[in-house]
C-alpha cells in the first residue's frame, strides 16, 4: 500500500511540475506580457489595488511556489543520488556572491565569538583534535572527505584508483574528517591562522607528512597542520591533497610557521619516560593518527582516454632514482654514476668497484697473516679496517656496486678494466677501449683526473694473474706532482726503490720515459712478427706461447722536443696495446678540458662526459693498498720460533655484553643470516630487509647507536636526510612486527635513550646469539679449569652458525664479521691445544673446521702440520701444505710464507731420518 501511495505521489508531483508553467503562462496571456502605457502607469500609482494588479501578484506567487517546489525536488534527488552512488557535487557560487557570502559569514563568526566567548572556549577544549576539514578551508577548494579506512576499505581503494595514486594502508585514526556532501562552514575565520604564513617545500621521493613535520617543524606530530593547511588546494598536476596518506612527487606544500603550537595528539598506549624524545617516533602502533610509512606516489597526469595505467611501486623499484630537494644543499655523496668525494672530487662507480676489489684482496691478505691470540677477552669491536680513511666511503659504495657480502671470501673482479669516467649515457668508459690515438688532459681538473686514471689503471687486474696487470710508465717529476707534497716518489716496491720494473715504472725524465716506450714498442713488434700476428690482442688470444704482453700506459707531461716520437708511439696504439696520456695540450691528440669535479668539455662529449678526479691523498692511499697486496716472497711468522712476537690483544677495550635472558620474548640470531624467532616460531613476514640490518647493527653495539650513525652504516650511498627517514621506518616496522609476533603491545624492543641519543636493543625482551658467544669466550679466557674452558669454547663454536650478518652487502658488516670470525678461530685453536695431548685427531678436526671458516689463515695450517708431524704422518703434512698452496694461488698468485714452509720441513725431517735408519 505504501509503495502504491508513493508512486501516486510521484506521479502527482511530476504532473504539477510539468503542467504548472504552461497553465500560468496561458493565464497571463498566451505567453505574452501586455504593454503598459504612460496613462495606465499613472492610474495604477493613484489606485494600485486594482483587480488586475492583485491577479498579477497571484500569478507571481504561483511562480515562486513552483520554483521552490523545483528546488526542493532537486535537493531531494541530489541527496538520494549522493547516498546511493557516493558522488558529490561542489557548488561554485559566482565571484560577487562568494565575496558577499564570505563577508556575511565572517561578520557572523566575529559577532558570535564576541557574544559567546565561554561557549566557544568550551567547544574548543572539548575538541582536542579538530577535523582538518574544518580549519579555514576555502569554500571553492574544499572537496568532500571520506573517512580514512583500513587496508581493505573499498572506498579508499576506489579513491586511490580514481587519482592514479598509490594509497598506503593507513593506521587506525581518530582525527579523520567526517563524511559530508557539502563543505562545513561553522569555523571559517575572517583571518587566516598564524601557521598559514609558512614556507613552501617541494615533495621529493621518500617524503611523507610525518617526516616533513619532523624536518621543518621539529615535531612530527604537527603533520595535521600541514595537511589542514594544504588540504584541497589544487596542485600543478591537477590533483589536490585529500588523503594524508597519499602525496605526489613535485607537489609544493605550505609549511606552517615553526612557532605554531602543535596539535594535541591522542595519548600513547605506553607514554615514554620523562625527557624521552624518540626521533623514530612515527609508529602506527604508538601514534594511531600518524600517516603511514613514507611512500610517495609518482606525480600522475589527469586521466585521458586510452591512457595506460600508471606503474605501481613494485614495477618501478628496479629503476629508483634519488631526487635532491632544490632548496636544500646538495650533500648527497652518491649519484647514479659515481661517488662525490669530500675534496670536491668525483669518481665513477667503476673506479669505486675497482678500489673495493683491491680492498677485498687486502682484507684477505690481512686474514692470511692474522695471529690467534688465545688469551684475549672477547669484544664486540670490529676488526681494524685495512682501508685508508680517504677511501673508506668509496670502498663501501664499491662493495655495494660489486654485490659483495659480509662473508665474501673470494676475490672480486670488476667488469670494466681501467674505468676512467662515464659517457653521455652514464656508461662506464674504459681507458683501454677509448677510441683515438691517446688523450691530452687540460684544465683545472687535469691533475686530479691524471691521479684517478693512474689509480684506475694500477687497480685493474690487481686481484688477477700478473699477465693481465697493466704497466704504467711515468716520470719522477710528474709522480711527485700527483702525490702529496713531501711524499717519497717510489713505485709499488715496499723497499722504496724508484724503479720496480713491474707495475709502476718511475723514470728520471721524459726522455727516459719516451725511450722506454719506444723499446717496448720495438719488442712487441718483433713478438708479433715472430708469431705472424698483427695485434697484441690476437697474440694474447693464442695459447701456443708463454708471452702475453699486458696493456701499456705512458703518462708524461707535454714536451715539444719529443712531440714527434710521442706521436709515433700513439700511432701504434691499437696494434701494440699502447696507451698515451699527456698531462697538458698536445698536437695530434684529442684534448679534453676537465673541470675540478670532472666535467669535460670537448668536441666529443658523448664519448667522455665526465672523468674521475682524485686528491693527492686518495692516490697515495690507493698506492699504499696496492703495495700491501703485491704478491712477493714473505718471511711470515713461525709459531715455534721463540723470537716470534706474542700476539697482542686488540686495542679496543672489550665491550660488556648483556647476560643471557631465557625469558626474553625475542631471540635474534646475527651469526649467519639474520633471523628473528619468538615463542610462536620464526618471524617470516612483515619485517623489512632494512629492519633486519638495524637489528644486526644494534646487536653489534650493545651500548647503542645514534640515528645518524645507523643511517651512515646502513645507507652510505643515500642522501643523509633520506637515509635517516629509512632508518626511522625500519625501526618502526621492527617494533610493530615484534609486537605482533609476540602478542605484547607494551615492549619497545628497540629502546631510545634520551641521555645519549642512542638506540639499543632492550636486553629484557631481546636476546642475541652474538652476546651469548662472546660471553662464553670471556668465560673460557678467565677459567683455570680445562674442562670448564673446553665446555665454554664448544658452546661458543656451536653458536657460530656463520659470518656476522651473512648475505648482507653492507660494508660496515665486513670488519665486524672479520672480528667475530677471528675470535671463533681463536676458540678453535684453544680447543685443539686442550685436546691434542690425549685426542690429537679431534684436535685436528677442530682446526680443520676453523680452516673451513678461513681457508687462507697460515697459522691454522701450521698448527695442523705440527700435530700431523708429531703423530708421524708426513703425507698428511704434505697434503696440508699443498691445500694451502692451492688456496693461496687463487689469492692473486700468492704463495705460503717462508715460515710456513719451515714448519712443514721440520715435520718431515724426523720421518725421513727414521726411514733412513730403518732401511
Amino acid at each position: 500500500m505504501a509503495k502504491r501511495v508513493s508512486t501516486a505521489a510521484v506521479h502527482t508531483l511530476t504532473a504539477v511540475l510539468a503542467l504548472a508553467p504552461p497553465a500560468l503562462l496561458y493565464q497571463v496571456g498566451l505567453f505574452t506580457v501586455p504593454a503598459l502605457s504612460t496613462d495606465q502607469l499613472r492610474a495604477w500609482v493613484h489606485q494600485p489595488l486594482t483587480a488586475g494588479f492583485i491577479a498579477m501578484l497571484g500569478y507571481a506567487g504561483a511562480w515562486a511556489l513552483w520554483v521552490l517546489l523545483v528546488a526542493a525536488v532537486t535537493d531531494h534527488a541530489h541527496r538520494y543520488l549522493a547516498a546511493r552512488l557516493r558522488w558529490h557535487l561542489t557548488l561554485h557560487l559566482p565571484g560577487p556572491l562568494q565575496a558577499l557570502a564570505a563577508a556575511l559569514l565572517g561578520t557572523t563568526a566575529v559577532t558570535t565569538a564576541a557574544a559567546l566567548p565561554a561557549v566557544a572556549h568550551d567547544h574548543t577544549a572539548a575538541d582536542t583534535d579538530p577535523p582538518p576539514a574544518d580549519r579555514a578551508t576555502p569554500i571553492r577548494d574544499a572537496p568532500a572527505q571520506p573517512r580514512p579506512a583500513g587496508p581493505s576499505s573499498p572506498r579508499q581503494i576506489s579513491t586511490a584508483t580514481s587519482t592514479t595514486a598509490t594509497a598506503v594502508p593507513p593506521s587506525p585514526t581518530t582525527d579523520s574528517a567526517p563524511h559530508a556532501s557539502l563543505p562545513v562552514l561553522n569555523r571559517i575565520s575572517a583571518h587566516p591562522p598564524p601557521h598559514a604564513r609558512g614556507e613552501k617545500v617541494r615533495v621529493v621521493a621518500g617524503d611523507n607528512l610525518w617526516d616533513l613535520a619532523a624536518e621543518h617543524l621539529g615535531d612530527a606530530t604537527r603533520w595535521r597542520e600541514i595537511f589542514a593547511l594544504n588540504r584541497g588546494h589544487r596542485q600543478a598536476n591537477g590533483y589536490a591533497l585529500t588523503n594524508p596518506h597519499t602525496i605526489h612527487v613535485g607537489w609544493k606544500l605550505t609549511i606552517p610557521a615553526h612557532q605554531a603550537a602543535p596539535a594535541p595528539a591522542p595519548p600513547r598506549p605506553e607514554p615514554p619516560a620523562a625527557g624521552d624524545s624518540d626521533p623514530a617516533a612515527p609508529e602506527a602502533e604508538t601514534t594511531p593518527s600518524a600517516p603511514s610509512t613514507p611512500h610517495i606516489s609518482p606525480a600522475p597526469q589527469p586521466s585521458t582516454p586510452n591512457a595506460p595505467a600508471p606503474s605501481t611501486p613494485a614495477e618501478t623499484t628496479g629503476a629508483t632514482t634519488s631526487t635532491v630537494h632544490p632548496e636544500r644543499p646538495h650533500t648527497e655523496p652518491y649519484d647514479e654514476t659515481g661517488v662525490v668525494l669530500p675534496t670536491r672530487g668525483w669518481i665513477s662507480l667503476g673506479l669505486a668497484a675497482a678500489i673495493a676489489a683491491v680492498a677485498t684482496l687486502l682484507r684477505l691478505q690481512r686474514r692470511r697473516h692474522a695471529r690467534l691470540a688465545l688469551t684475549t677477552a672477547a669484544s664486540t669491536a670490529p676488526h681494524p679496517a685495512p682501508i685508508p680513511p680517504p677511501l673508506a666511503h668509496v670502498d663501501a659504495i664499491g662493495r655495494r656496486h660489486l654485490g659483495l657480502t659480509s662473508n665474501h671470501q673470494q676475490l672480486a673482479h670488476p667488469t670494466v678494466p681501467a674505468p676512467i669516467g662515464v659517457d653521455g649515457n652514464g656508461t662506464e668508459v674504459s681507458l683501454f677501449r677509448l677510441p683515438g690515438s691517446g688523450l691530452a688532459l687540460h684544465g683545472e681538473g687535469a691533475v686530479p683526473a691524471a691521479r684517478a686514471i693512474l689509480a684506475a689503471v694500477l687497480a685493474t687486474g690487481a686481484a688477477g694473474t700478473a699477465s693481465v696487470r697493466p704497466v704504467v710508465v711515468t716520470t719522477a717529476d710528474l709522480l711527485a706532482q700527483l702525490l702529496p707534497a713531501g711524499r717519497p716518489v717510489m713505485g709499488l716496491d715496499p723497499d722504496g726503490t724508484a724503479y720496480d720494473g713491474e707495475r709502476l715504472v718511475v723514470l728520471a725524465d721524459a726522455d727516459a720515459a719516451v725511450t722506454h716506450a719506444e723499446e717496448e714498442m720495438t719488442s712487441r713488434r718483433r713478438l708479433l712478427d715472430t708469431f705472424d700476428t698483427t695485434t697484441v690482442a690476437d697474440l694474447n688470444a693464442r695459447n701456443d706461447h708463454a708471452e702475453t704482453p699486458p696493456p701499456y700506459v705512458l703518462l708524461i707531461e707535454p714536451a715539444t722536443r719529443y712531440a714527434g716520437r710521442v706521436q709515433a708511439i700513439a700511432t701504434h696504439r691499437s696494434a701494440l696495446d699502447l696507451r698515451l696520456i699527456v698531462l697538458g695540450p698536445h698536437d695530434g691528440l684529442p684534448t679534453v678540458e676537465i673541470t675540478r669535479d670532472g666535467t669535460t668539455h670537448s668536441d666529443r662529449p658523448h664519448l667522455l662526459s665526465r672523468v674521475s678526479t682524485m686528491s693527492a691523498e686518495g692516490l697515495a692511499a690507493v698506492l699504499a693498498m696496492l703495495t700491501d697486496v703485491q704478491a712477493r716472497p714473505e718471511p711470515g711468522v713461525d709459531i715455534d720460533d721463540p723470537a716470534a712476537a706474542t700476539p697482542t690483544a686488540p686495542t679496543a677495550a672489550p665491550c660488556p655484553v648483556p647476560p643471557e635472558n631465557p625469558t626474553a620474548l625475542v631471540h635474534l640470531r646475527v651469526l649467519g643470516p639474520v633471523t628473528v624467532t619468538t615463542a610462536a616460531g620464526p618471524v617470516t613476514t612483515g619485517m623489512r630487509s632494512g629492519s633486519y640490518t638495524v637489528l644486526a647493527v644494534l646487536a653489534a653495539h650493545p651500548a647503542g647507536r645514534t640515528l645518524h650513525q645507523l643511517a651512515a652504516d646502513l645507507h652510505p650511498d643515500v642522501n643523509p636526510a633520506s637515509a635517516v627517514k629509512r632508518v626511522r621506518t625500519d625501526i618502526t616496522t621492527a617494533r610493530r612486527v615484534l609486537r605482533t609476533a609476540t602478542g605484547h603491545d607494551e615492549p619497545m624492543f628497540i629502546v631510545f635513550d634520551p641521555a645519549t641519543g642512542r638506540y639499543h636493543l632492550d636486553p629484557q625482551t631481546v636476546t642475541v646469539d652474538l652476546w651469548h658467544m662472546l660471553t662464553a669466550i670471556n668465560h673460557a679466557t678467565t677459567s683455570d679449569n680445562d674442562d670448564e674452558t673446553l665446555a665454554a669454547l664448544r658452546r661458543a663454536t656451536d653458536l657460530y652458525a656463520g659470518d656476522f650478518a651473512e648475505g648482507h652487502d653492507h660494508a660496515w658488516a665486513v670488519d665486524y664479521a672479520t672480528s667475530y670470525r677471528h675470535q671463533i678461530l681463536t676458540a678453535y685453536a684453544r680447543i685443539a691445544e686442550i685436546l691434542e695431548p690425549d685426542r690429537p685427531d679431534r684436535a685436528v678436526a677442530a682446526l680443520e673446521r676453523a680452516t673451513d671458516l678461513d681457508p687462507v689463515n697460515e697459522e691454522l695450517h701450521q698448527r695442523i702440520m705440527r700435530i700431523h708431524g708429531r703423530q708421524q704422518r708426513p703425507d698428511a703434512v704434505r697434503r696440508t701444505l699443498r691445500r694451502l698452496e692451492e688456496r693461496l694461488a687463487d689469492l692473486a698468485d700468492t704463495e705460503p710464507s717462508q715460515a710456513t714452509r719451515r714448519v712443514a720441513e721440520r715435520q718431515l725431517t724426523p720421518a725421513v731420518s727414521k726411514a733412513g735408519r730403518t732401511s
Side-chain angles (χ1 to χ4, degrees), residues 28 107 111 167 239 260 280 342 349 431 461 496 571 585 718 723 774 875 911:
V28 171
T107 304
T111 305
Y239 291 89
L349 289 183
L431 175 65
T571 304
V718 177
L774 298 179
D875 291 340

Side-chain angles (χ1 to χ4, degrees), residues 81 119 257 301 306 559 589 599 624 773 779 797 817 858 885 903:
L81 293 175
V119 175
Q301 300 298 326
N306 302 324
L589 292 181
T599 305
M773 184 194 79
H779 179 67
T797 56
E858 291 200 31
E885 290 173 341
V903 171

Side-chain angles (χ1 to χ4, degrees), residues 658-668 676-681 738 741-742 744 747 749 761-769 771-772:
E660 294 190 39
N661 182 9
T663 62
L665 299 175
V666 174
H667 296 266
L668 173 63
V676 179
T677 306
T678 65
L738 293 180
T742 59
H744 291 73
F749 298 103
L761 297 177
D762 182 9
Q764 302 299 321
T765 57
V766 181
T767 182
V768 184
D769 60 344
W771 300 349
H772 303 166

Side-chain angles (χ1 to χ4, degrees), residues 212-236:
L212 290 175
E215 179 178 354
H216 296 279
L217 304 179
D219 184 356
T221 60
R222 294 179 62 184
W223 67 268
R224 303 175 186 83
E225 299 178 37
I226 302 178
F227 177 65
L229 189 59
N230 296 275
R231 183 178 185 180
H233 290 280
R234 196 163 301 281
Q235 299 287 338

Side-chain angles (χ1 to χ4, degrees), residues 377-397:
S379 173
T380 58
H383 197 77
I387 311 303
L391 300 178
H393 184 68
V394 175
D395 172 51
I397 297 178

Side-chain angles (χ1 to χ4, degrees), residues 75 122 168 311 399 441 461 482 484 513 520 536 608 684 822 861:
D75 179 71
D122 292 343
V168 180
S311 301
R399 287 184 61 87
L441 309 179
L482 301 181
E520 182 69 22
V536 169
L608 193 62
T684 58
H822 182 267
H861 291 81

Side-chain angles (χ1 to χ4, degrees), residues 781-818:
T781 57
T782 57
S783 176
D784 296 331
N785 186 288
D786 283 350
D787 292 336
E788 291 183 2
T789 300
L790 188 60
L793 293 175
R794 282 175 171 168
R795 170 162 172 72
T797 56
D798 290 342
L799 287 168
Y800 192 85
D803 283 336
F804 175 76
E806 185 175 306
H808 289 276
D809 61 352
H810 298 286
W812 67 269
V814 177
D815 296 323
Y816 286 89
T818 302

Side-chain angles (χ1 to χ4, degrees), residues 331-355:
T331 58
E332 186 172 359
Y334 169 85
D335 59 26
E336 295 179 356
T337 59
V339 184
V340 178
L341 302 178
T343 56
R344 291 182 57 198
W346 176 88
I347 65 174
S348 67
L349 289 183
L351 180 53
I355 293 174

